[in-house]
């Protein structure tokens, strides 16, 4: 158990819909990262937050947005869903200890768009 | 830009033998980290080992060791005494070493351990 929690574990929805994925980082970690894993694109970085502020952006679509709340949990919002958005979405956290760079991943949310 | 190359899509190893999974990297960051993750069929990503670019010694964590050769830009994972539970996908990744560097992953190597 990495200490990172993600809900829900599975999500099945229709095209055009909007969903919210939730992540709680490990206790003490200030950074939260979102990654997408799909068969054709592999593991791709989407976005990172550090202590409530956006730190870095990767290949995140405009239809996707995220935020980190004061209690450090984070949400990834996916809207106008398309079939190609079906993927495993991971949240990871790091930064709990000084000079600690390891990122610990949650169990992931498997999104299926039908 | 950073890039990770894992040239072995799949590998087999006999139980109790050692195996080396290859990883080469390319990065322009002056200070960076190299990571290995394991992804079993259940899907979770398990952190295995980390090597900093300025670390003088190769990292070890139990049966895992990272063979870091900076001049060759390689960061191979060595698993000693393979176990059936080691069967999984293994991903090499790199990230700049500052507060919160994003991970760039390779395509992965699928390891199968035979009894």
């Amino acid at each position: 158990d990495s200490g990172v929690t993600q809900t829900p574990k599975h999500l099945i929805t229709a095209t055009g819909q909007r969903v919210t994925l939730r992540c709680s980082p490990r206790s003490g970690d200030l950074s939260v990262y979102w990654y997408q894993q799909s068969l054709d694109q592999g593991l791709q970085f989407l976005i990172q937050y550090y202590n409530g502020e956006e730190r870095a952006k990767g290949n995140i679509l405009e239809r996707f947005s995220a935020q980190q709340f004061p209690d450090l949990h984070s949400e990834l919002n996916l809207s106008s869903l398309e079939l190609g958005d079906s993927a495993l979405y991971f949240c990871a956290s790091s930064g709990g200890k000084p000079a600690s760079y390891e990122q610990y991943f949650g169990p992931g949310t498997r999104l299926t768009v039908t | 830009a950073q890039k990770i190359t894992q040239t072995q899509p799949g590998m087999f190893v006999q139980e109790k033998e050692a195996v080396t999974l290859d990883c080469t990297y390319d990065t322009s960051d002056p200070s960076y980290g190299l990571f290995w993750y394991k992804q079993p069929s259940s899907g979770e990503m398990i952190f295995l080992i980390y090597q900093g670019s300025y670390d003088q010694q190769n990292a070890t964590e139990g049966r895992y060791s990272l063979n870091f050769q900076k001049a060759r830009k390689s960061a191979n994972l060595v698993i000693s005494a393979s176990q059936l539970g080691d069967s999984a996908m293994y991903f090499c990744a790199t990230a700049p070493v500052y507060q919160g560097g994003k991970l760039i992953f390779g395509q992965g190597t699928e390891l199968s351990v035979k009894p």
Side-chain angles (χ1 to χ4, degrees), chain B residues 17-89:
Chain B
E17 292 185 349
V19 62
T20 298
L21 306 184
D22 294 342
C23 170
T24 57
Y25 63 91
D26 191 12
T27 180
S28 56
D29 296 303
S31 184
Y32 52 91
L34 295 152
F35 306 76
W36 278 91
Y37 286 85
K38 172 185 178 182
Q39 187 175 39
S41 57
S42 51
E44 71 264 38
M45 291 288 287
I46 303 168
F47 167 74
L48 295 178
I49 195 165
Y50 163 82
Q51 175 86 42
S53 59
Y54 285 100
D55 293 339
Q56 297 296 320
Q57 290 192 320
N58 286 341
T60 59
E61 288 287 347
R63 295 186 298 111
Y64 305 107
S65 61
L66 200 153
N67 185 359
F68 180 46
Q69 298 186 47
K70 197 170 183 178
R72 299 181 64 181
K73 294 192 173 183
S74 75
N76 298 338
L77 177 71
V78 180
I79 306 175
S80 64
S82 298
Q83 302 172 355
L84 295 178
D86 294 334
S87 294
M89 281 291 288

Side-chain angles (χ1 to χ4, degrees), chain A residues 31 33 35 37 41-43 45 48 50 55 57-58 88 90 94-95 101-107, chain B residues 35 37 39 42-47 50 91 95-107:
Chain A
S31 279
Y33 310 77
Y35 294 88
Q37 185 178 31
Q41 300 286 336
L43 270 157
F45 167 75
Q48 180 218 343
Y50 175 77
R55 174 64 68 92
K57 248 182 177 178
L88 188 51
F90 286 108
S94 73
Y101 306 109
E102 296 92 337
Q103 293 184 27
Y104 291 89
F105 281 66
Chain B
F35 306 76
Y37 286 85
Q39 187 175 39
S42 51
E44 71 264 38
M45 291 288 287
I46 303 168
F47 167 74
Y50 163 82
F91 292 94
V97 172
Y98 58 83
Q99 187 61 37
K102 64 182 184 183
L103 287 168
I104 301 298
F105 287 89
Q107 289 301 106

